[in-house]
Amino acid sequence: MVVTWRDRRLIEALADGLPLAARPYAELGRMAGMDEDEVIERIQAMIAKGIITRFGVIVRHHELGYRANAMVVWDIPDDDVARVGEAMADFPFVTLCYRRVRRPPLWPYNLFCMIHGRERETVLEQVEQVARGCGLENARRDILFSLRRFKQRGAIYRRDWPALELAAGTGG
Amino acid sequence: MDDLGRRLLDEFQRGFPLTLRPYADVAARLGVDEDTVLDALRALKDMGALTRVGAVFRPGSVGVSTLAALAVPEEHLEQVAALVSAHPEVNHNYQRDHRFNVWFVATATDRESLKAVIEDIEAETGLDVLCLPMLESFCLDLGFGLQWS
């Protein structure tokens, strides 16, 4: 799965989202130094290759009343984590589910899932449902509710761009 | 939130039109005109319900990223959070109710750049960063079914 250097320029231009203007792909093209058709073709190609998993509106859960945002972390035996991760991802309210590196003794957990809900109690009940459904009643786990969002935006990747291209790209 | 705002947030999380006038195409599907859609999206952005119209990338397909955490003494929380957020490589940064209370995602083009960002944050804050890179993803981000009740 190859992301070309021109793709990266486009991805950088997209970090703050599609401009809210009549010809947004033309504007993205101006930022990335390519024409409107190339912008559209590159986005289509990245979707087709699975590099972009979705393209559309990205909502802020909190402002829509989803104030209970829980990151649930589990300590699952390494030889069972694939089975459990797949079972967990099947719950409709689980929005993300990842296996991550553990860092014992500070951090024993290797499986992470996200649950967004309107009420803390509902989310806690959903965590119990996941535990029962995946046979994890006795697994060590922790629930980290978010208290505040300091920052949320698209990722940018421009640190390694040659200076010349940077100057020609976004103009800063 | 009016009906148009709800439909914009609900029905366009995936498959946003890749056409010369995408907002006009969205408008046609909703039976309104292009300017109405643009105004509604600006209003959703102003109220904070919309982050952006944009792309979600498959983890690990573009650049290198990691989830990371800091255990910050309460009295330094604001200051440390601001230091972390100031890095352009940090795209998400949240406070959570745990001893590790600052959680952020950092993304860079390659491993060395990512390591440099983490080391900068450690130097600036005087704290050890707990880096928890992803090893495997069990679900793709396919959007979020909103319930308006």
Side-chain angles (χ1 to χ4, degrees):
Chain A
M1 211 153 32
V2 182
V3 177
T4 68
W5 198 74
R6 283 179 82 76
D7 288 331
R8 283 186 194 275
R9 286 164 55 173
L10 177 56
I11 290 165
E12 156 66 8
L14 254 177
D16 285 322
L18 197 62
L20 296 175
R23 300 284 289 269
Y25 300 111
E27 295 212 3
L28 277 183
R30 272 194 285 281
M31 291 187 255
M34 57 188 80
D35 68 26
E36 191 176 25
D37 290 338
E38 183 176 349
V39 168
I40 290 172
E41 282 162 22
R42 284 185 183 279
I43 294 172
Q44 280 168 340
M46 286 191 277
I47 293 168
K49 290 184 215 163
I51 293 167
I52 292 176
T53 55
R54 72 179 173 95
F55 188 71
V57 303
I58 299 173
V59 303
R60 281 214 172 104
H61 303 101
H62 187 267
E63 277 73 2
L64 292 170
Y66 289 81
R67 309 232 152 149
N69 159 344
M71 181 173 79
V72 191
V73 297
W74 313 77
D75 175 7
I76 307 295
D78 289 339
D79 61 5
D80 200 28
V81 70
R83 178 196 69 82
V84 173
E86 275 159 30
M88 214 172 259
D90 277 346
F91 285 86
F93 47 79
V94 169
T95 50
L96 294 171
C97 185
Y98 296 144
R99 180 160 79 94
R100 296 184 179 280
V101 170
R102 47 172 123 227
R103 305 280 186 199
L106 282 176
W107 191 260
Y109 306 106
N110 61 337
L111 189 63
F112 290 58
C113 70
M114 301 292 303
I115 301 177
H116 294 280
R118 292 186 178 275
E119 308 291 339
R120 202 178 167 104
E121 289 65 34
T122 313
V123 170
L124 290 172
E125 173 46 38
Q126 288 169 331
V127 173
E128 293 308 325
Q129 269 185 57
V130 170
R132 284 193 303 270
C134 300
L136 303 176
E137 291 89 340
N138 299 314
R140 184 172 179 192
R141 68 161 196 240
D142 209 340
I143 303 172
L144 291 79
F145 280 98
S146 69
L147 299 178
R148 221 175 347 158
R149 180 187 67 235
F150 297 120
K151 188 176 186 182
Q152 179 192 1
R153 58 164 288 172
I156 68 170
Y157 305 88
R158 73 176 159 200
R159 178 173 268 239
D160 286 11
W161 283 13
L164 188 96
E165 289 299 332
L166 244 187
T170 61
Chain B
M1 172 102 40
D2 60 13
D3 193 50
L4 178 64
R6 290 177 184 198
R7 291 193 63 189
L8 282 168
L9 294 180
D10 236 4
E11 297 173 23
F12 295 92
Q13 293 190 25
R14 304 174 63 183
F16 202 80
L18 283 157
T19 53
L20 298 183
R21 303 284 292 267
Y23 301 112
D25 293 325
V26 167
R29 268 167 61 183
L30 296 175
V32 294
D33 65 27
E34 186 181 29
D35 283 338
T36 305
V37 164
L38 284 166
D39 287 344
L41 288 171
R42 285 186 197 108
L44 290 169
K45 214 166 172 176
D46 288 344
M47 70 177 274
L50 172 69
T51 305
R52 63 189 183 279
V53 178
V56 174
F57 294 90
R58 178 193 295 270
S61 66
V62 185
V64 184
S65 67
T66 189
L67 176 67
L70 288 165
V72 184
E74 200 60 39
E75 65 271 26
H76 296 139
L77 185 62
E78 298 292 330
Q79 192 193 354
V80 168
L83 284 171
V84 170
S85 291
H87 288 267
E89 295 86 354
V90 171
N91 48 307
H92 287 237
N93 186 15
Y94 285 85
Q95 181 189 358
R96 294 191 180 275
D97 60 345
H98 191 270
R99 191 174 81 77
F100 285 101
N101 50 356
V102 171
W103 287 81
F104 61 95
V105 176
T107 305
T109 44
D110 55 62
R111 245 167 241 291
E112 289 67 40
S113 311
L114 184 61
K115 189 163 169 266
V117 174
I118 299 296
E119 285 171 355
D120 284 353
I121 289 173
E122 290 188 325
E124 289 165 11
T125 61
L127 298 166
D128 289 334
V129 173
L130 183 72
C131 280
L132 303 168
M134 191 190 86
L135 298 173
E136 194 173 352
S137 172
F138 299 106
C139 46
L140 291 177
D141 178 358
L142 298 178
F144 187 78
L146 295 163
Q147 269 142 32
W148 300 102
S149 57

